[in-house]
Amino acid sequence: MSITPTTTTTPLVVSRRENVLAVVSDYVELCKLRIGALVLITVGVSGLIATWGQPNVVALCSALGGTLLVAASASTLNQWLERSRDALMPRTADRPLPAGRISQRQAILFAVVTLLTGLAWLAATTTTTTTLLGLCTWVIYVWIYTPMKARTPMNTAVGAVSGALPVLMGWTAAGGSLLDLRAAALFLTVFLWQFPHFMAIAWMYRRQYARGGMQMATVVDPSGRSAGLQAVLAALALLPVSFVPAMLAPGASWYLAAAFVLGAAQLLCAVLFFIRLDDVSARRLLRASLVYLPVLLIILVLVPLI
């Protein structure tokens, strides 16, 4: 009679494994991968559009990798600078730094390593322009936008610039010219989109932002009229601007129709938000913005293929 040995996992091994996973999860949270994913989408899409769907795949993939690291560094330092304010707001109090799961030294070291690695990667595999745009995006987000959040509601406009610059990174990495009208239009599309998106968030979390000392439009103007007006004006401006990136493409009339429908739907949600100024209309606008940009970018990618 033979006895088959069994393998058991001791509680100590399980505990160590869980600790490792917890640490990895905290560093992933420092990177704000949801924002990072959207940044990568804009980089990839702009690279495809710049070359009418025939990019230098190696260069574009390199741009994606370097951009991800630079964005991770920016998000980490953003949280490091805001750690005290984050501790005051329920939606951010459990982040790794205010919760004490990651030390300040560890966060700074991680931010420095990811920044230097990301910039070196971009410099070695893409263009000088792409690398400088990556550095500029990082500087604006970390050292201009983040401090401004506690000082003036103009922080949203500055943050929108850093949010749109990755478009130009993807464009130049793929070999596109910054003098191309389509590049400017795509930059403006991503720039303007951020106003309906962030104004909806600013309204939904206005009390928490006020508690954390964040000078958002909904904190400075508690009535919400300023936030609502900015959302409407940006959504309205998006309609003509979003047409430009594909206007020169043959057979792009279906894209123009789709862009109009998407833009009109988001504009309607923005108008309803401005009229009602409640959490329901803000959440509706937020969802509309989360549909608008990814779908618009996907359709843009399909234009040269179709």
Side-chain angles (χ1 to χ4, degrees), residues 92-194:
T92 56
D94 195 44
R95 284 177 174 175
L97 278 165
R101 296 192 301 274
I102 289 181
S103 68
Q104 294 185 46
R105 180 179 298 180
Q106 290 171 326
I108 293 174
L109 178 61
F110 179 71
V112 170
V113 170
T114 50
L115 173 65
L116 295 180
T117 304
L119 291 177
W121 188 340
L122 290 172
T125 59
T126 64
T127 68
T128 301
T129 302
T130 304
T131 306
L132 291 176
L133 284 168
L135 179 59
C136 184
T137 302
W138 181 86
V139 170
I140 292 174
Y141 187 81
V142 175
W143 300 115
I144 302 178
Y145 164 67
T146 300
M148 283 182 70
K149 290 170 71 176
R151 298 173 184 174
T152 170
M154 288 299 295
N155 69 78
T156 301
V158 175
V161 172
S162 63
L165 280 175
V167 167
L168 303 183
M169 293 178 65
W171 195 273
T172 54
S177 170
L178 290 179
L179 299 178
D180 194 321
L181 180 61
R182 295 176 301 146
L186 193 56
F187 172 88
L188 282 175
T189 296
V190 177
F191 173 82
L192 291 169
W193 167 81
Q194 293 175 79

Side-chain angles (χ1 to χ4, degrees), residues 140-273:
I140 292 174
Y141 187 81
V142 175
W143 300 115
I144 302 178
Y145 164 67
T146 300
M148 283 182 70
K149 290 170 71 176
R151 298 173 184 174
T152 170
M154 288 299 295
N155 69 78
T156 301
V158 175
V161 172
S162 63
L165 280 175
V167 167
L168 303 183
M169 293 178 65
W171 195 273
T172 54
S177 170
L178 290 179
L179 299 178
D180 194 321
L181 180 61
R182 295 176 301 146
L186 193 56
F187 172 88
L188 282 175
T189 296
V190 177
F191 173 82
L192 291 169
W193 167 81
Q194 293 175 79
F195 285 87
H197 178 74
F198 286 121
M199 291 306 159
I201 294 174
W203 175 264
M204 291 168 59
Y205 296 104
R206 61 194 182 282
R207 295 182 183 87
Q208 293 192 40
Y209 281 131
R211 185 184 305 174
M214 301 293 192
Q215 298 300 300
M216 301 301 178
T218 52
V219 174
V220 175
D221 177 15
S223 71
R225 291 295 176 186
S226 174
L229 181 60
Q230 290 183 59
V232 170
L233 292 177
L236 182 62
L238 270 170
L239 279 170
V241 170
S242 64
F243 294 161
V244 178
M247 285 185 68
L248 300 178
S253 57
W254 64 274
Y255 162 77
L256 300 180
F260 177 79
V261 171
L262 284 169
Q266 181 174 243
L267 176 59
L268 175 60
C269 291
V271 170
L272 291 175
F273 169 60

Side-chain angles (χ1 to χ4, degrees), residues 20-31:
V20 170
L21 291 176
V23 171
V24 171
S25 176
D26 283 336
Y27 276 99
V28 168
E29 188 172 353
L30 280 181
C31 297

Side-chain angles (χ1 to χ4, degrees), residues 35 61 86 88 123 148 181 185 210 227 244-245 293 300:
I35 296 176
C61 288
D86 281 349
L88 301 175
M148 283 182 70
L181 180 61
V244 178
L293 188 62
L300 267 173

